Amino acid sequence: GESVGLHLPTLSVQEGDNSIINCAYSNSASDYFIWYKQESGKGPQFIIDIRSNMDKRQGQRVTVLLNKTVKHLSLQIAATQPGDSAVYFCAENPHQGGKLIFGQGTELSVKP
Amino acid sequence: DARVTQTPRHKVTEMGQEVTMRCQPILGHNTVFWYRQTMMQGLELLAYFRNRAPLDDSGMPKDRFSAEMPDATLATLKIQPSEPRDSAVYFCASGLPSGVAETQYFGPGTRLLVL
């Protein structure tokens, strides 16, 4: 039979626009969250993290927002560039140290 | 700059052959993770070690997969015998726990194709 792969959510943005990638996490006990970027043919690359005692954290061109009430995490990328095209994964840590639970990923496509 | 290294980067083998993948974690990191990534399943945790001791290998098929850390600078993942369904990208990641935070840093992966 025909194999079916994961159908990743896709976000397509124009170069220079801001991007917002969303993630719903599963465990209300999770106390640490990470966003990873995975470019084609490469391993996931750490972008930014946030602990559960915060609701916002900023990095260079990226901001992570955490809403624990609705178990929602978002990654905002300012002035999106073609080099930002990748699959973005959120990950949660439901235990102190150890396993991360990864989301399925969102594919970001930046149009020049 | 410090990074996780993995060898080989690509491996093509025939069904039934043994496959060994190696990982060198970032110096000083005491936790090592093995993941498998496929289009069907996404990113799956196979096993992880802390201070060279296996903490969890529940994600790993026990009959054919084995993971070890002979020393603090080397982690290995073996498949024997390999099967076509093992074709995937295998990632190693390392980390250093700091309170609740443990960022995992990934290697470039080993792309395995079993014919």
Side-chain angles (χ1 to χ4, degrees), chain B residues 62-94:
Chain B
K62 302 294 189 303
D63 56 338
R64 300 183 299 109
F65 284 60
S66 61
E68 295 179 346
M69 280 202 74
D71 61 60
T73 64
L74 176 65
T76 62
L77 180 66
K78 289 187 182 180
I79 309 174
Q80 169 62 22
S82 59
E83 296 181 2
R85 60 182 168 148
D86 301 329
S87 298
V89 183
Y90 291 82
F91 289 105
C92 173
S94 71

Side-chain angles (χ1 to χ4, degrees), chain A residues 20-23 35 48 57 63-67 72-76 90:
Chain A
I20 300 176
I21 300 171
N22 296 303
C23 175
W35 279 100
I48 192 167
R57 190 168 187 215
T63 301
V64 55
L65 299 178
L66 175 63
N67 184 331
H72 184 267
L73 196 64
S74 69
L75 177 70
Q76 300 178 0
C90 66

Side-chain angles (χ1 to χ4, degrees), chain A residues 63-97:
Chain A
T63 301
V64 55
L65 299 178
L66 175 63
N67 184 331
K68 294 182 288 295
T69 303
V70 295
K71 293 190 287 187
H72 184 267
L73 196 64
S74 69
L75 177 70
Q76 300 178 0
I77 304 174
T80 314
Q81 302 168 1
D84 296 326
S85 294
V87 176
Y88 289 81
F89 293 95
C90 66
E92 60 179 306
N93 181 4
H95 313 284
Q96 289 200 2

